[in-house]
């Protein structure tokens, strides 16, 4: 899924008459409810925006096809993973009076948008980021479907140290996202009275990894945890191996496992990625089976990606909140979502309460193969439990 599907990405004219505003009663019963999304559809993080949007639209197309449903559509704008563009896009979407903001991709971009949502209490739903800075302090209009980077890095560190790999380095993006991941690794190691043996940085939207490779390889770590986008992570992995590093590489979910596999090709063999949703090709997950069936009905086959399935799940959870809303308003949506107490979505549990909007702590591991495939390893990272993805 490397190109935008026109049918998936069709949007109605973005006039205020079609957006639903804060109250849906002001419009005709069949007027679409429009969600606003600023995400990268070009640039080094483009596959994440494209795939998340495709998955969300895959669910919404089936939902909208049901009789009696008020249509829900997504108005998407490209930000190229640039926070300044994200802020400008968000102002435009708010001016167009979208009902809620949905599926923003990344930490620095989401942080640029958040202050703009506070005045009108616009729901900011399912950002594709695990940063604690988006979770603390608590904001009543912000809802997180995915686990945090603290959850992901704790799982990575737990696995590595369990198998005796205590010398761990961190390669990270030099921005809010990268520092969030570094903080998570540092916290998890500190609980074991350890610390990173080396750190190296790369600037956002750059693949200049030379200095980071030299610093980290010189420290001779057992493993490197990477907190960046797929292009810079691929560049680091290639360069580190060329420089003689023979340890293992662990990435958090934001890297985009399938995009990283495509970037690395044969060199991706053995690279591990933590995931915050089940394998999209899992036969044991009811959510994955529902996603696979939707892919077949949508003409996209059953392969899918983790990012696409996360978009599918995010749209499914938001619609459930709409169904529970006692009034068709932004406040009604927030209140409806806050009634999701250990609600199962095909075996994936989500909990929102009036005091916590961190919906899930689900984390499991996956691994890349030389054939550009991603195999699910389950929550303990055990290769014997791998399932093709």
């Amino acid at each position: 899924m490397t190109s935008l599907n026109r049918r998936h990405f069709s949007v109605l004219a973005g006039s205020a008459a079609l957006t639903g505003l804060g109250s849906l009663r002001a419009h005709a019963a069949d007027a679409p409810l429009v969600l606003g999304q600023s995400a990268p559809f070009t640039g080094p993080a483009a596959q994440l925006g494209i795939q998340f949007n495709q998955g969300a639209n895959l669910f919404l197309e089936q939902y909208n096809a049901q009789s009696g449903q008020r249509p829900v559509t997504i108005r998407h704008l490209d930000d190229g993973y640039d926070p300044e563009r994200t802020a400008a896009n968000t102002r435009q979407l708010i001016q167009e009076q979208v009902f809620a903001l949905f599926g923003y991709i990344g930490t620095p971009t989401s942080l640029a948008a958040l202050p703009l949502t506070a005045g009108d209490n616009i729901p900011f739903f399912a950002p594709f980021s695990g940063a604690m800075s988006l979770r603390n302090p608590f904001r009543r209009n912000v809802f997180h479907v995915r686990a945090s980077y603290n959850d992901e890095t704790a799982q990575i560190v737990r696995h590595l140290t369990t198998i005796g790999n205590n010398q761990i380095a961190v390669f990270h993006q030099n921005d809010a996202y990268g520092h969030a991941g570094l903080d998570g690794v540092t916290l998890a190691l500190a609980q074991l009275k350890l610390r990173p043996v080396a750190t190296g940085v790369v600037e956002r939207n750059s693949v200049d990894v030379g200095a980071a490779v030299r610093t980290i390889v010189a420290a001779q770590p057992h493993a490197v945890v990477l907190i960046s986008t797929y292009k810079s992570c691929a560049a680091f992995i290639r360069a580190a191996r060329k420089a003689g590093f023979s340890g293992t590489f662990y990435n958090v979910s934001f890297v985009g496992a399938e995009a990283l596999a495509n970037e690395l090709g044969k060199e991706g063999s053995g690279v591990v990625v933590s995931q915050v949703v089940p394998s999209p090709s899992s036969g044991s997950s009811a959510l994955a089976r529902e996603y696979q069936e939707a892919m077949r009905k949508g003409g996209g086959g059953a392969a899918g990606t983790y990012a696409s399935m996360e978009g599918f799940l995010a749209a499914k959870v938001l619609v459930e909140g709409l169904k529970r809303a006692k009034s068709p308003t932004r406040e009604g949506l927030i209140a409806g979502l806050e009634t999701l107490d250990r609600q199962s979505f095909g075996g994936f549990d989500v909990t929102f309460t009036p005091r916590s909007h961190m919906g899930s702590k689900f984390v499991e591991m996956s691994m890349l193969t030389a054939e550009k495939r991603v195999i699910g390893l389950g929550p303990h990272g055990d290769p014997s439990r791998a399932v093709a993805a």
Side-chain angles (χ1 to χ4, degrees), residues 43 124 148 151 200 221 294 309 343:
F124 190 82
S148 72
D151 296 323
M309 196 167 83
Q343 178 70 31

Side-chain angles (χ1 to χ4, degrees), residues 206-235:
S206 167
V207 292
D208 185 3
V209 300
V213 169
R214 289 190 292 274
T215 298
I216 289 176
V217 171
Q220 298 183 318
H222 297 145
V224 182
V225 180
L226 297 90
I227 318 290
S228 193
T229 56
Y230 53 87
K231 286 189 177 294
S232 55
C233 287

Side-chain angles (χ1 to χ4, degrees), residues 337-349:
L337 288 167
E338 288 180 338
T339 68
L340 298 179
D341 183 11
R342 287 173 292 182
Q343 178 70 31
S344 177
F345 293 86
F348 186 99
D349 289 348

Side-chain angles (χ1 to χ4, degrees), residues 56-318:
N57 276 292
L58 186 65
F59 176 83
L60 292 177
E61 283 182 352
Q62 294 196 354
Y63 173 75
N64 293 340
Q66 299 173 28
S67 61
Q69 302 292 355
R70 181 167 189 173
V72 179
T73 63
I74 301 174
R75 165 86 164 108
H76 76 279
L77 297 174
D78 180 21
D79 59 32
Y81 195 46
D82 179 343
E84 291 186 5
R85 290 173 64 184
T86 305
N89 287 349
T90 302
R91 293 188 188 97
Q92 179 178 336
L93 292 167
I94 292 173
Q95 185 176 15
E96 293 178 3
Q97 300 176 316
V98 295
F99 182 70
L101 299 174
F102 171 85
Y104 276 44
I105 306 294
T107 302
T109 45
S110 294
L111 287 172
L114 270 190
L116 304 175
T117 70
D120 294 325
N121 205 33
I122 302 170
F124 190 82
F125 190 80
F128 193 87
S129 168
M132 294 308 297
S133 56
L134 295 171
R135 290 159 170 77
N136 294 323
F138 173 78
R139 302 169 179 88
R140 188 163 182 268
N141 65 312
V142 182
F143 290 84
H144 302 276
V145 175
R146 60 170 23 234
S148 72
Y149 292 142
N150 282 9
D151 296 323
E152 291 191 64
T153 52
Q155 186 81 311
I156 289 171
V157 168
R158 186 180 305 116
H159 171 64
L160 284 171
T161 54
T162 297
I163 61 176
N165 291 342
N166 296 329
Q167 303 295 305
I168 300 171
V170 181
F171 167 74
H172 66 93
Q173 202 161 279
N174 190 23
D175 64 4
Y177 159 49
H179 289 289
L182 173 63
D183 289 347
V185 176
T186 302
L187 177 63
L189 286 172
Q191 293 173 349
L192 300 171
K193 298 183 179 180
L194 299 170
R195 61 182 182 180
V197 297
T199 61
V201 302
V202 64
E203 299 303 317
R204 183 173 57 249
N205 291 340
S206 167
V207 292
D208 185 3
V209 300
V213 169
R214 289 190 292 274
T215 298
I216 289 176
V217 171
Q220 298 183 318
H222 297 145
V224 182
V225 180
L226 297 90
I227 318 290
S228 193
T229 56
Y230 53 87
K231 286 189 177 294
S232 55
C233 287
F236 179 89
I237 291 167
R238 286 196 195 96
R241 283 182 168 156
K242 187 175 181 180
F245 178 69
S246 59
T248 55
F249 299 98
Y250 281 68
N251 302 257
V252 295
S253 59
F254 186 82
V255 75
E258 294 84 3
L260 182 62
N262 287 330
E263 283 286 325
L264 284 171
K266 293 181 179 180
E267 295 176 274
S269 179
V271 172
V272 178
V273 182
S274 57
Q275 303 291 355
V276 296
V277 294
S279 165
S281 290
S282 170
S284 61
S285 165
L287 173 65
R289 294 195 300 272
E290 180 186 352
Y291 170 73
Q292 293 162 21
E293 181 62 20
M295 289 283 290
R296 283 189 285 270
K297 289 180 178 178
T305 67
Y306 281 94
S308 174
M309 196 167 83
E310 186 171 340
F312 183 90
L313 171 65
K316 185 177 177 68
V317 176
L318 184 139

